[in-house]
Amino acid sequence: MVRLTTRGLVAVCALGMGLAVVSAVAAQRPALTMLTTLPHGRWDLRFRGGQEQAKQICLRDGRDLIQLRHPDHSCERLVIEDSAASVTIQYTCRGHGYGRTHIRRETDRLIQIESQGVADGFPFDFRAEGRRIGDCS
């Protein structure tokens, strides 16, 4: 049996309180800040490789860029990287597939997207450049 002195008990309590504060601060950290600060509006997505036509989207939330191949599915997400300049998210949409998306911000109006995974049984792998071109109509 281990006996703690008063000094040891105080040290253990201080360590526990310190860990609780660190955990609380980490939990309060806003997730995916880079995406939430992207300007809303009309964005032009140009896919590299020529297999897919460019398309325009009305971006109301930058997090919508995470699941371009699973847009209407509720998916579980795991944040792999979350920095001021880029994010990487892995997600699983039960019964519909999964994906991993990396988005890098070059400027407030220019981003690079890389995504791969499986959507409804079909694999996908694309790279795209996104440019903000104006407001949504």
Side-chain angles (χ1 to χ4, degrees):
M1 181 156 109
V2 176
R3 285 186 103 170
L4 287 178
T5 64
T6 303
R7 176 182 267 171
L9 185 57
V10 168
V12 168
C13 288
L15 177 63
M17 287 174 30
L19 290 174
V21 168
V22 169
S23 296
V25 169
Q28 292 175 0
R29 180 176 161 222
L32 306 174
T33 304
M34 187 274 286
L35 292 178
T36 60
T37 59
L38 278 177
H40 302 172
R42 185 155 301 285
W43 285 73
D44 184 50
L45 300 179
R46 303 257 172 187
F47 296 88
R48 294 191 188 106
Q51 296 178 354
E52 197 169 342
Q53 297 282 339
K55 71 178 184 177
Q56 292 185 2
I57 62 171
C58 181
L59 190 66
R60 299 195 194 299
D61 184 336
R63 291 176 285 206
D64 293 341
L65 297 167
I66 295 170
Q67 297 174 206
L68 289 172
R69 292 294 181 266
H70 299 91
D72 299 322
H73 299 295
S74 177
C75 306
E76 295 175 19
R77 296 179 178 173
L78 174 64
V79 177
I80 306 296
E81 175 193 7
D82 184 7
S83 73
S86 65
V87 297
T88 304
I89 300 95
Q90 190 166 306
Y91 63 90
T92 302
C93 310
R94 296 198 188 280
H96 297 285
Y98 57 88
R100 181 180 179 106
T101 302
H102 175 76
I103 304 170
R104 182 173 47 90
R105 176 187 224 155
E106 293 188 14
T107 69
D108 282 348
R109 298 175 157 276
L110 179 63
I111 58 172
Q112 303 296 325
I113 304 169
E114 298 176 16
S115 190
Q116 61 274 336
V118 174
D120 293 320
F122 296 99
F124 66 88
D125 183 5
F126 69 85
R127 281 151 189 58
E129 180 174 88
R131 289 186 184 269
R132 187 177 188 284
I133 57 174
D135 294 329
C136 296
S137 48

